[in-house]
Amino acid sequence: MAIENEIKIVLQGKEKYDELETLLSSIYGWEDINQAYFDSNNRIRKSSFKNGREEHVFAFKQRLPNGRTVEIESNISESEFDDLWEFTSERLSKRRCSVFCKKEDRKTEEWLNVHRWDIDFPRWPSGNKYFAIAEVEMLSDMERPNHILSVLKPYVVHEVPRNDNRFSAKKLSDEKHARKLAKELKLWD
């Protein structure tokens, strides 16, 4: 069982979406994710990596009253993933760029007390690019990162409060909901 301490940051969309995705993919690599939900806590995920490797996972994820998140993951086979897919409802595809922080990297201010950054580029059915989402995983006693990853700074639009679940991946699987959020943040007409 893993207790995670993470926050989300909304990043610019439209033409800046492609610019940031290209930049991060070239530096950090990527994985394409197909994720689907049984309910608000249980999901399956298929990750396809640039090198052709695939990973299939069943996950339980729940936000705790203290703002932290418990996430339990278990690898499953490709056939189990395929069998379960038909029983899911909300589905989301996205490209993810992950920036891992090794202990020796934490000497610089930018990396202090941060484990990793995941930057997701959702693939909505219409092809619209409303915004990207960065998620930073921090040490358990932190409320927010000391610094925003420097490559992301020019693209930051909104830091999502811990109690705001409107930006959960499950909710973002609904393109109408994502478009509404983009309009609220003045990222979409």
Side-chain angles (χ1 to χ4, degrees):
M1 177 168 69
I3 304 291
E4 296 179 345
N5 180 24
E6 57 195 21
I7 63 163
K8 293 184 179 192
I9 298 169
V10 178
L11 306 171
Q12 291 182 15
K14 294 187 178 178
E15 63 278 348
K16 295 291 185 178
Y17 181 107
D18 288 331
E19 177 183 301
L20 181 59
E21 181 181 350
T22 300
L23 174 65
L24 294 178
S25 294
S26 69
I27 298 171
Y28 302 109
W30 52 264
E31 66 181 288
D32 285 333
I33 297 173
N34 288 311
Q35 189 164 295
Y37 297 84
F38 297 102
D39 55 37
S40 60
N41 301 105
N42 296 289
R43 66 202 69 192
I44 54 174
R45 182 179 66 240
K46 174 183 177 180
S47 295
S48 302
F49 297 89
K50 186 177 178 180
N51 65 6
R53 183 175 65 87
E54 288 188 346
E55 182 179 274
H56 303 83
V57 173
F58 175 87
F60 169 85
K61 190 169 185 176
Q62 172 71 49
R63 176 76 75 169
L64 301 173
N66 66 1
R68 306 300 191 255
T69 302
V70 60
E71 185 168 16
I72 303 167
E73 294 185 340
S74 179
N75 288 330
I76 59 175
S77 69
E78 181 178 6
S79 63
E80 288 171 321
F81 178 88
D82 292 341
D83 290 345
L84 292 170
W85 186 260
E86 71 177 283
F87 301 107
T88 62
S89 53
E90 294 91 344
R91 296 174 178 165
L92 179 66
S93 294
K94 57 189 175 183
R95 173 155 290 180
R96 173 173 286 172
C97 298
S98 295
V99 182
F100 296 91
C101 177
K102 297 178 285 208
K103 219 170 197 165
E104 56 271 20
D105 293 334
R106 294 191 190 149
K107 295 174 188 154
T108 65
E109 284 291 314
E110 183 171 72
W111 290 109
L112 199 59
N113 299 323
V114 172
H115 293 292
R116 78 187 262 175
W117 289 82
D118 286 330
I119 301 88
D120 289 343
F121 298 89
R123 306 290 198 233
W124 286 288
S126 69
N128 289 334
K129 299 170 180 180
Y130 304 110
F131 50 81
I133 296 279
E135 186 175 273
V136 58
E137 192 175 308
M138 305 168 294
L139 296 180
S140 62
D141 60 340
M142 296 181 70
E143 286 301 311
R144 59 182 316 277
N146 294 330
H147 298 276
I148 302 298
L149 191 62
S150 59
V151 71
L152 298 181
K153 282 183 185 179
Y155 302 93
V156 171
V157 173
H158 174 68
E159 187 175 312
V160 179
R162 285 184 186 272
N163 62 352
D164 184 350
N165 69 353
R166 297 176 303 155
F167 293 89
S168 72
K170 182 178 188 297
K171 290 199 173 176
L172 293 179
S173 68
D174 177 354
E175 186 170 358
K176 288 180 185 175
H177 175 76
R179 186 181 310 111
K180 180 180 177 218
L181 290 175
K183 286 180 178 181
E184 286 176 20
L185 294 171
K186 300 190 181 348
L187 295 171
W188 204 259
D189 306 324

